[in-house]
Amino acid sequence: MFGRKKSVTGDRDAAAPGEPADSAPSTTGPHDRSSVGDVARYYTDLGYGHIDLGSLVIGVPKGRDLNVALDPNGQPEFHVVTTVSRVIPRAFAAPKSAGQWRTMVVAMREQLEGQGAEVTVEDGPWGRELVAAMPGAVFRAIGVDGHRWTAEVRIMATPELAEQAAEEGREVFKHLLVNRGDGPMPVREVLPLTIPDEIQQALVKAQSQLAAQQQAQAYQQQMAAGQQGQPAAQARPQGQPAPAAGTPAPAPSPTPTREQPRQPESRPRRDGSAMDRLRSTDDL
């Protein structure tokens, strides 16, 4: 059913004493897509759904949803979601020599600690797992170096469900399939995704709505700034006489005792808002 399995890790530099190892068992995914003869059959035998994005194939275990959202740069992200976790898989171009994941962990740690997060590096099935505790959330990054690629999942969860979320993230991670391609690419560049047509159409609509809302918000801010800078007489509606001297100002309208319902926002939902603090550098 399958072709010969390829090790995703190759040779590894020995880790310093007390540090998590970088090496991963050769029988453990993520796998090169070329090592799987029939992609659809691979996931069917697991009881998974899947989405083929060209450079990355994501398996979706039973009982989970696959959501697509726009990151702060307007680029699509695919999230495997349960009530416990949000798992975001990505793949990057890497050099032939191993060690890129170690470098990425160091960079993420510096960024997160600079934002005040409590960061630790734990030893997991693939080696280093970065864990950051933030107010109301726990972020975990799991990764491994393959043949000229690095695969990663980022996992978001609440503190009380962080361990269960980590297991859900590992389950998604080990069944990723990566297609690096043969062309030259800068190291640490995210592998480009091929988006299915129906999803692409929805994303174009969402991007247009986001741009329209941003323009509307900018216009409202400009109007508010202009009104604040006007003298009181200029802000009075046209045709309304100025109050006579000594005339008391009208009493403010009573505040309604019943809370008004919030109007739904037209902005497309951007899931995983706690991730925004981690996305200022896209290649982390």
Side-chain angles (χ1 to χ4, degrees):
M1 179 175 71
F2 307 121
R4 182 180 178 184
K5 298 291 184 182
K6 296 181 180 178
S7 169
V8 301
T9 54
D11 296 329
R12 291 288 182 270
D13 297 331
E19 290 187 357
D22 282 329
S23 60
S26 61
T27 57
T28 302
H31 299 292
D32 246 74
R33 180 173 178 151
S34 60
S35 69
V36 176
D38 187 332
V39 171
R41 179 75 177 275
Y42 174 77
Y43 289 108
T44 298
D45 287 350
L46 290 169
Y48 285 19
H50 74 282
I51 183 169
D52 189 340
L53 301 170
S55 62
L56 184 65
V57 187
I58 303 172
V60 183
K62 186 177 180 180
R64 304 186 197 180
D65 294 324
L66 182 69
N67 293 349
V68 59
L70 298 176
D71 70 12
N73 297 318
Q75 298 302 310
E77 283 184 339
F78 288 83
H79 301 183
V80 181
V81 181
T82 69
T83 57
V84 171
S85 66
R86 180 172 300 276
V87 181
I88 306 173
R90 296 198 297 175
F92 305 83
K96 293 180 180 180
S97 58
Q100 177 163 273
W101 176 242
R102 180 191 295 226
T103 302
M104 292 171 67
V105 168
V106 171
M108 276 190 286
R109 182 170 194 165
E110 291 177 353
Q111 183 186 3
L112 287 161
E113 287 179 338
Q115 295 171 353
E118 181 180 345
V119 184
T120 58
V121 177
E122 299 180 0
D123 193 4
W126 290 271
R128 287 171 170 78
E129 295 184 4
L130 182 141
V131 182
M134 299 174 285
V138 173
F139 165 80
R140 182 182 295 265
I142 301 172
V144 73
D145 293 328
H147 178 60
R148 299 180 65 208
W149 51 260
T150 299
E152 175 202 62
V153 292
R154 297 185 173 194
I155 307 162
M156 293 299 300
T158 56
E160 63 274 13
L161 297 173
E163 290 303 318
Q164 184 178 346
E167 290 305 313
E168 292 187 353
R170 293 185 186 111
E171 186 178 0
V172 172
F173 184 63
K174 71 181 179 181
H175 294 298
L176 294 175
L177 303 180
V178 182
N179 181 18
R180 161 64 173 79
D182 298 326
M185 289 184 67
V187 298
R188 296 181 68 181
E189 181 171 308
V190 178
L191 299 185
L193 303 178
T194 302
I195 311 296
D197 289 342
E198 63 274 16
I199 297 178
Q200 185 65 53
Q201 292 173 7
L203 285 172
V204 169
K205 182 178 180 181
Q207 288 168 331
S208 298
Q209 291 174 345
L210 179 59
Q213 186 179 26
Q214 290 173 339
Q215 290 177 355
Q217 289 175 342
Y219 176 76
Q220 290 172 356
Q221 291 172 355
Q222 291 174 356
M223 292 295 293
Q227 290 178 358
Q228 289 174 0
Q230 290 180 355
Q234 292 180 358
R236 188 178 302 114
Q238 186 176 8
Q240 179 177 328
T247 303
S253 301
T255 302
T257 57
R258 183 177 178 181
E259 184 180 356
Q260 298 298 316
R262 294 180 61 186
Q263 297 297 319
E265 297 180 356
S266 61
R267 182 173 181 172
R269 194 175 91 183
R270 181 177 297 163
D271 294 313
S273 58
M275 290 292 293
D276 289 348
R277 287 173 290 179
L278 308 174
R279 291 173 170 146
S280 59
T281 303
D282 183 61
D283 60 354
L284 293 184

